[in-house]
Amino acid sequence: MDLIVPLLRGARVTIEIAALASLVAIAVGLVVGLARLAPWRAVRALAVCYVELFRGTSLLVQLFWWFFVLPHFGIFLAPETVGIFGIGMNIGAYGAEVVRGAIRAVPRAQHEAAIALNMPPALRMRRIILPQAFRAMLPPWGNLLIELLKGTSLVSLITLHDLTFVAAQLNVATFRTLEIFSLVLVLYYLLARGVITPAVRWLERRASRGWVRSEV
Amino acid sequence: MVKFDAVVKRYGGLVVLDGLDLEVAAGERVAIIGPSGSGKTTVLRVLMTLEPIDGGIIHVDGEPLTHMARNGRLVPADERHLRRLRGRIGMVFQHFNLFPHMTALENCMEAPLHVLGLSRAEARERAAGLLEMVGLGDKRDAYPGALSGGQQQRVAIARALAMRPKVMLFDEVTSALDPELVGEVLQVIRRLGEEHGLTMLMVTHQIAFAREFAHRVCFFDAGRIAEQGPPDRILVEPEHPRTRQFLSAVLESH
């Protein structure tokens, strides 16, 4: 009991960072994913650079950059800000690929039907293509958000008192290693399995309400 | 109403339309038949601006479709010009291409609402009326996945009509249907022609339907019209050997 109270306090920080970083990741994923498909070459190139840079380097090193390197250039960011945006922008790079893939997977026939109804490009994307792509991108987004949740443990290394940080601290103070890290394991699992998975499932059910995919 | 002038379309090195000339009068119903790969579907696709053309010019209702006049010269059309001209044409596809995330009614309301700028009430009334006309008044809240092929195709016809096009294009609209569902779709098309006098271009393998419904039949071969004329002549006593060969092959299979 004396362990669970501080651990839950840490879990609260973890949840806050994960929730806000998820919003950043989804926003970044959507914007960069759409930019990857933009009709303008320069925009596409920029989006490719973003994805490759953020996906191709270590998340922990990225966080250290924001937190320890930027101050050398006179930019000081709060650890919460670094946690939320650092993790969100990293996962957002993966998300961009998910968004792009799902949009590309909508059959060409759907674009053609929309053109035949004289819909301009932006309307086609917003009303016809994205709603169908949305449904296809939910399962991979579920994966990414679980990845994101677990990634938040890295913020313990930039002074935030999250679940992992509290666990490490308790361990040093009490040496009840087995109990502490078993509890932490369970807490992360409950967050992933008890919150993210049901939320994504619920969205999936909502998004596919009524429509059965025809075989063509 | 529609005029193709020496229209050329290539896919890579393959010439699909080889200097095609074709004129369709207002209210005329033209059936396009021919072997696969003869370019017949491409005629509809370039007219719907789903594909750009590589040569020649297409006029719709007296105006160039794929080109526009600028400083007295014809230049390739921009998106704005295409959108203005495209509004005169509607198309129904072989595989229906309904929007699976919308009900039958929403499928028919979508473009009138967001493209024509109708109010929700007007769009709903128009869509409901058209679904009634194609015999699906009771299916308006069904999603496409819950409808049969014939029903889906009739929704697709209503959806295209909701834009009030002057020309309707039918691209093998019964080819993906089970045989017993073909009749209900053809019946809707027949009514459209007889009661509304729409200009129609249809690519079809339904020879019997073409014979009684079309004003003119065009037999396509190798990207050109090999032979054309009234259905009773083309479909009964064709002159061109390729037409004869094609017809006997098609009729054989029926």
Side-chain angles (χ1 to χ4, degrees), chain A residues 108-110 112-121 123-124 127-128 131-132 209-212 216, chain B residues 45 48 50 79 83 86-87 93 95 97-102 110-111 114-115 143 145 159 163:
Chain A
R108 201 179 140 65
Q110 289 290 312
E112 293 185 347
I115 293 173
L117 291 168
N118 212 3
M119 296 187 182
L123 184 70
R124 295 203 289 267
R127 299 282 310 172
I128 307 303
Q132 296 183 55
R209 197 169 36 185
W211 65 289
V212 193
V216 201
Chain B
R45 293 180 58 82
M48 194 65 257
L50 299 176
E79 178 70 18
R83 287 205 53 219
R86 199 149 56 195
F93 299 87
H95 294 288
N97 304 1
L98 291 178
F99 305 132
H101 56 302
M102 297 181 184
E110 181 65 18
H114 296 287
V115 177
Y143 284 86
R159 180 177 70 173
M163 297 300 281

mmCIF file of all heavy atoms in Angstrom, chain A residues 108-110 112-121 123-124 127-128 131-132 209-212 216, chain B residues 45 48 50 79 83 86-87 93 95 97-102 110-111 114-115 143 145 159 163:
data_model
loop_
_atom_site.group_PDB
_atom_site.id
_atom_site.type_symbol
_atom_site.label_atom_id
_atom_site.label_comp_id
_atom_site.label_asym_id
_atom_site.label_seq_id
_atom_site.Cartn_x
_atom_site.Cartn_y
_atom_site.Cartn_z
ATOM 1 N N ARG A 108 -9.202 3.640 -56.233
ATOM 2 C CA ARG A 108 -9.234 4.710 -57.212
ATOM 3 C C ARG A 108 -10.665 4.989 -57.678
ATOM 4 O O ARG A 108 -11.037 6.123 -57.990
ATOM 5 C CB ARG A 108 -8.371 4.289 -58.408
ATOM 6 C CG ARG A 108 -7.908 5.436 -59.242
ATOM 7 C CD ARG A 108 -7.041 4.995 -60.415
ATOM 8 N NE ARG A 108 -7.381 5.783 -61.599
ATOM 9 C CZ ARG A 108 -7.192 7.084 -61.689
ATOM 10 N NH1 ARG A 108 -6.665 7.753 -60.703
ATOM 11 N NH2 ARG A 108 -7.541 7.744 -62.778
ATOM 12 N N ALA A 109 -11.471 3.931 -57.698
ATOM 13 C CA ALA A 109 -12.857 4.081 -58.138
ATOM 14 C C ALA A 109 -13.616 5.096 -57.290
ATOM 15 O O ALA A 109 -14.524 5.766 -57.784
ATOM 16 C CB ALA A 109 -13.563 2.726 -58.074
ATOM 17 N N GLN A 110 -13.251 5.215 -56.019
ATOM 18 C CA GLN A 110 -13.925 6.189 -55.157
ATOM 19 C C GLN A 110 -13.567 7.611 -55.572
ATOM 20 O O GLN A 110 -14.407 8.500 -55.561
ATOM 21 C CB GLN A 110 -13.540 5.942 -53.692
ATOM 22 C CG GLN A 110 -14.140 4.668 -53.116
ATOM 23 C CD GLN A 110 -15.643 4.786 -52.928
ATOM 24 O OE1 GLN A 110 -16.128 5.763 -52.384
ATOM 25 N NE2 GLN A 110 -16.385 3.810 -53.409
ATOM 26 N N GLU A 112 -12.775 8.444 -58.590
ATOM 27 C CA GLU A 112 -13.418 8.672 -59.887
ATOM 28 C C GLU A 112 -14.893 8.984 -59.723
ATOM 29 O O GLU A 112 -15.429 9.859 -60.398
ATOM 30 C CB GLU A 112 -13.215 7.453 -60.790
ATOM 31 C CG GLU A 112 -11.751 7.292 -61.176
ATOM 32 C CD GLU A 112 -11.528 6.163 -62.164
ATOM 33 O OE1 GLU A 112 -12.454 5.350 -62.357
ATOM 34 O OE2 GLU A 112 -10.422 6.114 -62.727
ATOM 35 N N ALA A 113 -15.549 8.269 -58.799
ATOM 36 C CA ALA A 113 -16.962 8.552 -58.568
ATOM 37 C C ALA A 113 -17.137 9.988 -58.087
ATOM 38 O O ALA A 113 -18.072 10.683 -58.492
ATOM 39 C CB ALA A 113 -17.527 7.578 -57.543
ATOM 40 N N ALA A 114 -16.222 10.444 -57.242
ATOM 41 C CA ALA A 114 -16.315 11.805 -56.721
ATOM 42 C C ALA A 114 -16.038 12.837 -57.818
ATOM 43 O O ALA A 114 -16.688 13.883 -57.875
ATOM 44 C CB ALA A 114 -15.338 11.996 -55.560
ATOM 45 N N ILE A 115 -15.089 12.537 -58.711
ATOM 46 C CA ILE A 115 -14.818 13.445 -59.834
ATOM 47 C C ILE A 115 -16.048 13.521 -60.736
ATOM 48 O O ILE A 115 -16.462 14.590 -61.170
ATOM 49 C CB ILE A 115 -13.593 12.965 -60.648
ATOM 50 C CG1 ILE A 115 -12.325 13.091 -59.817
ATOM 51 C CG2 ILE A 115 -13.451 13.783 -61.946
ATOM 52 C CD1 ILE A 115 -11.093 12.496 -60.474
ATOM 53 N N ALA A 116 -16.660 12.358 -60.980
ATOM 54 C CA ALA A 116 -17.826 12.326 -61.863
ATOM 55 C C ALA A 116 -18.981 13.134 -61.271
ATOM 56 O O ALA A 116 -19.863 13.576 -62.008
ATOM 57 C CB ALA A 116 -18.260 10.878 -62.108
ATOM 58 N N LEU A 117 -18.970 13.325 -59.948
ATOM 59 C CA LEU A 117 -19.998 14.167 -59.326
ATOM 60 C C LEU A 117 -19.506 15.609 -59.199
ATOM 61 O O LEU A 117 -20.100 16.422 -58.493
ATOM 62 C CB LEU A 117 -20.376 13.614 -57.959
ATOM 63 C CG LEU A 117 -21.136 12.285 -58.012
ATOM 64 C CD1 LEU A 117 -21.217 11.656 -56.626
ATOM 65 C CD2 LEU A 117 -22.534 12.487 -58.581
ATOM 66 N N ASN A 118 -18.388 15.873 -59.874
ATOM 67 C CA ASN A 118 -17.859 17.234 -59.967
ATOM 68 C C ASN A 118 -17.394 17.798 -58.629
ATOM 69 O O ASN A 118 -17.478 19.009 -58.393
ATOM 70 C CB ASN A 118 -18.914 18.165 -60.592
ATOM 71 C CG ASN A 118 -18.263 19.269 -61.400
ATOM 72 O OD1 ASN A 118 -17.037 19.309 -61.543
ATOM 73 N ND2 ASN A 118 -19.068 20.176 -61.914
ATOM 74 N N MET A 119 -16.916 16.941 -57.744
ATOM 75 C CA MET A 119 -16.410 17.455 -56.469
ATOM 76 C C MET A 119 -14.990 17.978 -56.649
ATOM 77 O O MET A 119 -14.158 17.304 -57.243
ATOM 78 C CB MET A 119 -16.377 16.332 -55.427
ATOM 79 C CG MET A 119 -17.736 15.776 -55.082
ATOM 80 S SD MET A 119 -17.551 14.630 -53.712
ATOM 81 C CE MET A 119 -19.235 14.096 -53.536
ATOM 82 N N PRO A 120 -14.702 19.160 -56.119
ATOM 83 C CA PRO A 120 -13.323 19.658 -56.173
ATOM 84 C C PRO A 120 -12.416 18.834 -55.250
ATOM 85 O O PRO A 120 -12.904 18.176 -54.330
ATOM 86 C CB PRO A 120 -13.447 21.106 -55.688
ATOM 87 C CG PRO A 120 -14.735 21.174 -54.949
ATOM 88 C CD PRO A 120 -15.626 20.107 -55.515
ATOM 89 N N PRO A 121 -11.090 18.869 -55.502
ATOM 90 C CA PRO A 121 -10.160 17.978 -54.796
ATOM 91 C C PRO A 121 -10.277 18.009 -53.271
ATOM 92 O O PRO A 121 -10.294 16.954 -52.630
ATOM 93 C CB PRO A 121 -8.788 18.481 -55.252
ATOM 94 C CG PRO A 121 -9.033 19.101 -56.581
ATOM 95 C CD PRO A 121 -10.417 19.671 -56.529
ATOM 96 N N LEU A 123 -12.768 18.797 -51.348
ATOM 97 C CA LEU A 123 -14.031 18.183 -50.910
ATOM 98 C C LEU A 123 -13.968 16.663 -51.039
ATOM 99 O O LEU A 123 -14.436 15.932 -50.162
ATOM 100 C CB LEU A 123 -15.188 18.736 -51.749
ATOM 101 C CG LEU A 123 -16.599 18.280 -51.369
ATOM 102 C CD1 LEU A 123 -17.011 18.884 -50.031
ATOM 103 C CD2 LEU A 123 -17.610 18.661 -52.448
ATOM 104 N N ARG A 124 -13.386 16.182 -52.141
ATOM 105 C CA ARG A 124 -13.230 14.734 -52.330
ATOM 106 C C ARG A 124 -12.465 14.139 -51.167
ATOM 107 O O ARG A 124 -12.840 13.112 -50.614
ATOM 108 C CB ARG A 124 -12.421 14.453 -53.610
ATOM 109 C CG ARG A 124 -13.081 14.878 -54.884
ATOM 110 C CD ARG A 124 -12.539 14.099 -56.064
ATOM 111 N NE ARG A 124 -11.172 14.411 -56.457
ATOM 112 C CZ ARG A 124 -10.842 15.302 -57.389
ATOM 113 N NH1 ARG A 124 -11.766 16.009 -58.002
ATOM 114 N NH2 ARG A 124 -9.583 15.496 -57.718
ATOM 115 N N ARG A 127 -14.663 14.619 -47.665
ATOM 116 C CA ARG A 127 -15.956 13.949 -47.513
ATOM 117 C C ARG A 127 -15.948 12.481 -47.951
ATOM 118 O O ARG A 127 -16.738 11.690 -47.465
ATOM 119 C CB ARG A 127 -17.033 14.698 -48.315
ATOM 120 C CG ARG A 127 -17.262 16.128 -47.876
ATOM 121 C CD ARG A 127 -18.088 16.212 -46.630
ATOM 122 N NE ARG A 127 -19.307 15.419 -46.733
ATOM 123 C CZ ARG A 127 -20.127 15.196 -45.725
ATOM 124 N NH1 ARG A 127 -19.857 15.715 -44.544
ATOM 125 N NH2 ARG A 127 -21.196 14.469 -45.889
ATOM 126 N N ILE A 128 -15.092 12.156 -48.918
ATOM 127 C CA ILE A 128 -15.147 10.806 -49.491
ATOM 128 C C ILE A 128 -13.945 9.960 -49.075
ATOM 129 O O ILE A 128 -14.109 8.847 -48.576
ATOM 130 C CB ILE A 128 -15.221 10.879 -51.037
ATOM 131 C CG1 ILE A 128 -16.380 11.783 -51.472
ATOM 132 C CG2 ILE A 128 -15.330 9.490 -51.642
ATOM 133 C CD1 ILE A 128 -17.747 11.380 -50.956
ATOM 134 N N PRO A 131 -12.889 9.853 -44.697
ATOM 135 C CA PRO A 131 -13.732 9.011 -43.826
ATOM 136 C C PRO A 131 -13.498 7.516 -44.040
ATOM 137 O O PRO A 131 -13.567 6.731 -43.093
ATOM 138 C CB PRO A 131 -15.157 9.399 -44.238
ATOM 139 C CG PRO A 131 -15.039 10.750 -44.821
ATOM 140 C CD PRO A 131 -13.691 10.798 -45.478
ATOM 141 N N GLN A 132 -13.206 7.136 -45.272
ATOM 142 C CA GLN A 132 -12.940 5.724 -45.536
ATOM 143 C C GLN A 132 -11.553 5.332 -45.056
ATOM 144 O O GLN A 132 -11.337 4.235 -44.533
ATOM 145 C CB GLN A 132 -13.093 5.425 -47.025
ATOM 146 C CG GLN A 132 -14.511 5.632 -47.510
ATOM 147 C CD GLN A 132 -14.665 5.263 -48.978
ATOM 148 O OE1 GLN A 132 -14.342 4.171 -49.385
ATOM 149 N NE2 GLN A 132 -15.170 6.191 -49.763
ATOM 150 N N ARG A 209 -19.962 1.802 -38.488
ATOM 151 C CA ARG A 209 -21.383 1.610 -38.237
ATOM 152 C C ARG A 209 -22.143 1.571 -39.561
ATOM 153 O O ARG A 209 -21.982 2.442 -40.404
ATOM 154 C CB ARG A 209 -21.905 2.761 -37.380
ATOM 155 C CG ARG A 209 -23.239 2.462 -36.737
ATOM 156 C CD ARG A 209 -23.557 3.511 -35.710
ATOM 157 N NE ARG A 209 -23.102 4.836 -36.124
ATOM 158 C CZ ARG A 209 -23.181 5.909 -35.347
ATOM 159 N NH1 ARG A 209 -23.670 5.827 -34.155
ATOM 160 N NH2 ARG A 209 -22.759 7.068 -35.781
ATOM 161 N N GLY A 210 -22.946 0.550 -39.727
ATOM 162 C CA GLY A 210 -23.805 0.492 -40.905
ATOM 163 C C GLY A 210 -23.154 -0.097 -42.125
ATOM 164 O O GLY A 210 -23.754 -0.884 -42.803
ATOM 165 N N TRP A 211 -21.910 0.254 -42.400
ATOM 166 C CA TRP A 211 -21.430 -0.176 -43.699
ATOM 167 C C TRP A 211 -20.567 -1.420 -43.675
ATOM 168 O O TRP A 211 -19.691 -1.590 -42.877
ATOM 169 C CB TRP A 211 -20.805 0.955 -44.484
ATOM 170 C CG TRP A 211 -19.565 1.582 -43.953
ATOM 171 C CD1 TRP A 211 -19.464 2.381 -42.869
ATOM 172 C CD2 TRP A 211 -18.252 1.501 -44.526
ATOM 173 N NE1 TRP A 211 -18.184 2.801 -42.717
ATOM 174 C CE2 TRP A 211 -17.420 2.293 -43.716
ATOM 175 C CE3 TRP A 211 -17.722 0.852 -45.638
ATOM 176 C CZ2 TRP A 211 -16.074 2.438 -43.990
ATOM 177 C CZ3 TRP A 211 -16.379 1.002 -45.897
ATOM 178 C CH2 TRP A 211 -15.580 1.790 -45.082
ATOM 179 N N VAL A 212 -20.924 -2.281 -44.586
ATOM 180 C CA VAL A 212 -20.206 -3.519 -44.806
ATOM 181 C C VAL A 212 -19.435 -3.284 -46.090
ATOM 182 O O VAL A 212 -19.994 -2.783 -47.052
ATOM 183 C CB VAL A 212 -21.199 -4.678 -45.050
ATOM 184 C CG1 VAL A 212 -20.505 -6.009 -44.966
ATOM 185 C CG2 VAL A 212 -22.358 -4.581 -44.096
ATOM 186 N N VAL A 216 -16.168 -5.714 -54.150
ATOM 187 C CA VAL A 216 -15.459 -5.121 -55.287
ATOM 188 C C VAL A 216 -14.505 -4.023 -54.821
ATOM 189 O O VAL A 216 -14.874 -3.213 -54.002
ATOM 190 C CB VAL A 216 -16.453 -4.500 -56.294
ATOM 191 C CG1 VAL A 216 -15.764 -4.366 -57.654
ATOM 192 C CG2 VAL A 216 -17.683 -5.356 -56.441
ATOM 193 N N ARG B 45 -14.536 7.552 -70.424
ATOM 194 C CA ARG B 45 -13.612 8.046 -69.390
ATOM 195 C C ARG B 45 -12.996 9.390 -69.754
ATOM 196 O O ARG B 45 -12.835 10.244 -68.893
ATOM 197 C CB ARG B 45 -12.535 7.004 -69.095
ATOM 198 C CG ARG B 45 -13.107 5.735 -68.424
ATOM 199 C CD ARG B 45 -12.037 4.705 -68.134
ATOM 200 N NE ARG B 45 -10.999 5.241 -67.274
ATOM 201 C CZ ARG B 45 -11.094 5.319 -65.946
ATOM 202 N NH1 ARG B 45 -12.176 4.864 -65.340
ATOM 203 N NH2 ARG B 45 -10.116 5.818 -65.231
ATOM 204 N N MET B 48 -15.676 12.035 -69.345
ATOM 205 C CA MET B 48 -15.925 12.366 -67.930
ATOM 206 C C MET B 48 -14.719 13.074 -67.316
ATOM 207 O O MET B 48 -14.739 13.398 -66.135
ATOM 208 C CB MET B 48 -16.260 11.071 -67.169
ATOM 209 C CG MET B 48 -16.856 11.242 -65.784
ATOM 210 S SD MET B 48 -18.484 12.020 -65.745
ATOM 211 C CE MET B 48 -18.083 13.678 -65.212
ATOM 212 N N LEU B 50 -11.926 11.773 -66.602
ATOM 213 C CA LEU B 50 -11.170 10.912 -65.686
ATOM 214 C C LEU B 50 -9.776 10.644 -66.241
ATOM 215 O O LEU B 50 -8.882 10.246 -65.507
ATOM 216 C CB LEU B 50 -11.905 9.580 -65.476
ATOM 217 C CG LEU B 50 -13.295 9.683 -64.856
ATOM 218 C CD1 LEU B 50 -13.962 8.319 -64.789
ATOM 219 C CD2 LEU B 50 -13.216 10.310 -63.474
ATOM 220 N N GLU B 79 -8.498 23.515 -63.786
ATOM 221 C CA GLU B 79 -9.484 22.846 -62.931
ATOM 222 C C GLU B 79 -10.835 23.580 -62.936
ATOM 223 O O GLU B 79 -11.892 22.960 -62.961
ATOM 224 C CB GLU B 79 -8.902 22.736 -61.511
ATOM 225 C CG GLU B 79 -9.830 22.099 -60.470
ATOM 226 C CD GLU B 79 -10.060 20.591 -60.654
ATOM 227 O OE1 GLU B 79 -9.262 19.940 -61.361
ATOM 228 O OE2 GLU B 79 -11.058 20.073 -60.102
ATOM 229 N N ARG B 83 -14.321 21.988 -64.061
ATOM 230 C CA ARG B 83 -15.445 21.850 -63.128
ATOM 231 C C ARG B 83 -16.724 22.421 -63.719
ATOM 232 O O ARG B 83 -17.801 21.902 -63.505
ATOM 233 C CB ARG B 83 -15.122 22.536 -61.803
ATOM 234 C CG ARG B 83 -14.091 21.748 -61.001
ATOM 235 C CD ARG B 83 -14.213 22.031 -59.531
ATOM 236 N NE ARG B 83 -15.568 21.825 -59.086
ATOM 237 C CZ ARG B 83 -16.186 22.594 -58.194
ATOM 238 N NH1 ARG B 83 -15.574 23.623 -57.674
ATOM 239 N NH2 ARG B 83 -17.408 22.313 -57.836
ATOM 240 N N ARG B 86 -17.763 19.877 -66.528
ATOM 241 C CA ARG B 86 -18.032 18.540 -66.022
ATOM 242 C C ARG B 86 -19.443 18.442 -65.437
ATOM 243 O O ARG B 86 -20.039 17.374 -65.411
ATOM 244 C CB ARG B 86 -16.993 18.214 -64.944
ATOM 245 C CG ARG B 86 -16.840 16.765 -64.634
ATOM 246 C CD ARG B 86 -15.407 16.466 -64.222
ATOM 247 N NE ARG B 86 -14.991 17.303 -63.091
ATOM 248 C CZ ARG B 86 -13.726 17.465 -62.721
ATOM 249 N NH1 ARG B 86 -12.754 16.874 -63.370
ATOM 250 N NH2 ARG B 86 -13.435 18.227 -61.700
ATOM 251 N N GLY B 87 -19.961 19.576 -64.981
ATOM 252 C CA GLY B 87 -21.298 19.586 -64.397
ATOM 253 C C GLY B 87 -22.378 19.171 -65.373
ATOM 254 O O GLY B 87 -23.492 18.836 -64.981
ATOM 255 N N PHE B 93 -20.984 3.743 -63.268
ATOM 256 C CA PHE B 93 -19.845 2.858 -63.465
ATOM 257 C C PHE B 93 -20.236 1.380 -63.415
ATOM 258 O O PHE B 93 -21.237 1.011 -62.803
ATOM 259 C CB PHE B 93 -18.798 3.109 -62.378
ATOM 260 C CG PHE B 93 -18.239 4.500 -62.372
ATOM 261 C CD1 PHE B 93 -18.873 5.519 -61.674
ATOM 262 C CD2 PHE B 93 -17.083 4.808 -63.075
ATOM 263 C CE1 PHE B 93 -18.362 6.807 -61.660
ATOM 264 C CE2 PHE B 93 -16.561 6.084 -63.075
ATOM 265 C CZ PHE B 93 -17.199 7.091 -62.370
ATOM 266 N N HIS B 95 -18.872 -0.947 -61.676
ATOM 267 C CA HIS B 95 -18.899 -1.471 -60.303
ATOM 268 C C HIS B 95 -19.573 -0.514 -59.327
ATOM 269 O O HIS B 95 -19.223 -0.482 -58.142
ATOM 270 C CB HIS B 95 -17.481 -1.802 -59.843
ATOM 271 C CG HIS B 95 -16.867 -2.935 -60.622
ATOM 272 N ND1 HIS B 95 -17.278 -4.236 -60.470
ATOM 273 C CD2 HIS B 95 -15.923 -2.951 -61.581
ATOM 274 C CE1 HIS B 95 -16.585 -5.012 -61.293
ATOM 275 N NE2 HIS B 95 -15.764 -4.257 -61.981
ATOM 276 N N ASN B 97 -19.479 1.965 -57.632
ATOM 277 C CA ASN B 97 -18.667 2.967 -56.929
ATOM 278 C C ASN B 97 -19.481 3.858 -56.002
ATOM 279 O O ASN B 97 -19.232 5.058 -55.924
ATOM 280 C CB ASN B 97 -17.885 3.850 -57.920
ATOM 281 C CG ASN B 97 -17.011 3.060 -58.857
ATOM 282 O OD1 ASN B 97 -16.986 1.835 -58.792
ATOM 283 N ND2 ASN B 97 -16.277 3.738 -59.712
ATOM 284 N N LEU B 98 -20.432 3.287 -55.306
ATOM 285 C CA LEU B 98 -21.143 4.073 -54.294
ATOM 286 C C LEU B 98 -20.187 4.355 -53.136
ATOM 287 O O LEU B 98 -19.200 3.646 -52.953
ATOM 288 C CB LEU B 98 -22.361 3.303 -53.777
ATOM 289 C CG LEU B 98 -23.504 3.133 -54.772
ATOM 290 C CD1 LEU B 98 -24.630 2.319 -54.145
ATOM 291 C CD2 LEU B 98 -24.027 4.479 -55.244
ATOM 292 N N PHE B 99 -20.499 5.410 -52.364
ATOM 293 C CA PHE B 99 -19.678 5.715 -51.196
ATOM 294 C C PHE B 99 -20.146 4.816 -50.048
ATOM 295 O O PHE B 99 -21.269 4.942 -49.576
ATOM 296 C CB PHE B 99 -19.817 7.190 -50.829
ATOM 297 C CG PHE B 99 -19.489 8.113 -51.974
ATOM 298 C CD1 PHE B 99 -20.334 9.162 -52.304
ATOM 299 C CD2 PHE B 99 -18.340 7.925 -52.723
ATOM 300 C CE1 PHE B 99 -20.036 10.007 -53.365
ATOM 301 C CE2 PHE B 99 -18.028 8.762 -53.785
ATOM 302 C CZ PHE B 99 -18.880 9.799 -54.109
ATOM 303 N N PRO B 100 -19.292 3.889 -49.595
ATOM 304 C CA PRO B 100 -19.746 2.852 -48.662
ATOM 305 C C PRO B 100 -20.075 3.384 -47.272
ATOM 306 O O PRO B 100 -20.772 2.724 -46.518
ATOM 307 C CB PRO B 100 -18.560 1.885 -48.595
ATOM 308 C CG PRO B 100 -17.383 2.698 -49.010
ATOM 309 C CD PRO B 100 -17.881 3.731 -49.956
ATOM 310 N N HIS B 101 -19.580 4.588 -46.944
ATOM 311 C CA HIS B 101 -19.814 5.120 -45.599
ATOM 312 C C HIS B 101 -21.060 6.000 -45.527
ATOM 313 O O HIS B 101 -21.298 6.653 -44.526
ATOM 314 C CB HIS B 101 -18.592 5.902 -45.120
ATOM 315 C CG HIS B 101 -18.179 7.023 -46.037
ATOM 316 N ND1 HIS B 101 -17.847 6.817 -47.354
ATOM 317 C CD2 HIS B 101 -18.068 8.352 -45.827
ATOM 318 C CE1 HIS B 101 -17.525 7.973 -47.909
ATOM 319 N NE2 HIS B 101 -17.660 8.921 -47.016
ATOM 320 N N MET B 102 -21.832 6.005 -46.620
ATOM 321 C CA MET B 102 -23.039 6.820 -46.633
ATOM 322 C C MET B 102 -24.234 5.959 -47.032
ATOM 323 O O MET B 102 -24.099 5.030 -47.824
ATOM 324 C CB MET B 102 -22.900 7.935 -47.671
ATOM 325 C CG MET B 102 -21.783 8.911 -47.387
ATOM 326 S SD MET B 102 -21.747 10.172 -48.664
ATOM 327 C CE MET B 102 -20.288 11.065 -48.149
ATOM 328 N N GLU B 110 -25.064 14.041 -51.358
ATOM 329 C CA GLU B 110 -23.724 14.581 -51.122
ATOM 330 C C GLU B 110 -23.321 15.685 -52.108
ATOM 331 O O GLU B 110 -22.967 16.794 -51.698
ATOM 332 C CB GLU B 110 -22.712 13.428 -51.160
ATOM 333 C CG GLU B 110 -21.284 13.822 -50.902
ATOM 334 C CD GLU B 110 -21.057 14.347 -49.490
ATOM 335 O OE1 GLU B 110 -21.902 14.093 -48.609
ATOM 336 O OE2 GLU B 110 -20.037 15.022 -49.287
ATOM 337 N N ALA B 111 -23.364 15.372 -53.397
ATOM 338 C CA ALA B 111 -22.883 16.347 -54.368
ATOM 339 C C ALA B 111 -23.861 17.527 -54.552
ATOM 340 O O ALA B 111 -23.421 18.676 -54.614
ATOM 341 C CB ALA B 111 -22.576 15.663 -55.698
ATOM 342 N N HIS B 114 -23.008 19.773 -51.522
ATOM 343 C CA HIS B 114 -21.698 20.404 -51.387
ATOM 344 C C HIS B 114 -21.133 20.945 -52.695
ATOM 345 O O HIS B 114 -20.199 21.733 -52.678
ATOM 346 C CB HIS B 114 -20.704 19.415 -50.776
ATOM 347 C CG HIS B 114 -21.059 19.017 -49.376
ATOM 348 N ND1 HIS B 114 -20.907 19.857 -48.309
ATOM 349 C CD2 HIS B 114 -21.600 17.881 -48.875
ATOM 350 C CE1 HIS B 114 -21.316 19.262 -47.200
ATOM 351 N NE2 HIS B 114 -21.746 18.045 -47.529
ATOM 352 N N VAL B 115 -21.665 20.492 -53.829
ATOM 353 C CA VAL B 115 -21.155 20.999 -55.109
ATOM 354 C C VAL B 115 -22.122 22.029 -55.697
ATOM 355 O O VAL B 115 -21.720 23.116 -56.094
ATOM 356 C CB VAL B 115 -20.918 19.844 -56.109
ATOM 357 C CG1 VAL B 115 -20.457 20.384 -57.447
ATOM 358 C CG2 VAL B 115 -19.896 18.863 -55.553
ATOM 359 N N TYR B 143 -27.314 1.213 -46.193
ATOM 360 C CA TYR B 143 -25.948 1.422 -46.673
ATOM 361 C C TYR B 143 -25.726 0.529 -47.895
ATOM 362 O O TYR B 143 -26.352 -0.539 -48.009
ATOM 363 C CB TYR B 143 -24.941 1.094 -45.580
ATOM 364 C CG TYR B 143 -24.838 2.172 -44.523
ATOM 365 C CD1 TYR B 143 -25.707 2.200 -43.433
ATOM 366 C CD2 TYR B 143 -23.883 3.182 -44.625
ATOM 367 C CE1 TYR B 143 -25.630 3.195 -42.472
ATOM 368 C CE2 TYR B 143 -23.794 4.181 -43.673
ATOM 369 C CZ TYR B 143 -24.662 4.182 -42.596
ATOM 370 O OH TYR B 143 -24.581 5.176 -41.650
ATOM 371 N N GLY B 145 -23.566 -1.583 -48.663
ATOM 372 C CA GLY B 145 -23.211 -2.959 -48.350
ATOM 373 C C GLY B 145 -24.413 -3.859 -48.090
ATOM 374 O O GLY B 145 -24.314 -5.071 -48.179
ATOM 375 N N ARG B 159 -27.937 8.851 -58.039
ATOM 376 C CA ARG B 159 -26.891 9.766 -57.578
ATOM 377 C C ARG B 159 -26.382 10.643 -58.720
ATOM 378 O O ARG B 159 -26.189 11.844 -58.558
ATOM 379 C CB ARG B 159 -25.732 8.951 -56.980
ATOM 380 C CG ARG B 159 -24.591 9.803 -56.478
ATOM 381 C CD ARG B 159 -23.501 8.987 -55.835
ATOM 382 N NE ARG B 159 -22.751 8.191 -56.809
ATOM 383 C CZ ARG B 159 -21.652 7.494 -56.521
ATOM 384 N NH1 ARG B 159 -21.194 7.471 -55.278
ATOM 385 N NH2 ARG B 159 -21.033 6.787 -57.439
ATOM 386 N N MET B 163 -27.427 15.426 -60.032
ATOM 387 C CA MET B 163 -26.647 16.582 -60.480
ATOM 388 C C MET B 163 -27.257 17.225 -61.715
ATOM 389 O O MET B 163 -26.699 18.157 -62.279
ATOM 390 C CB MET B 163 -25.199 16.168 -60.750
ATOM 391 C CG MET B 163 -24.463 15.677 -59.513
ATOM 392 S SD MET B 163 -24.384 16.919 -58.225
ATOM 393 C CE MET B 163 -23.045 17.953 -58.827
#
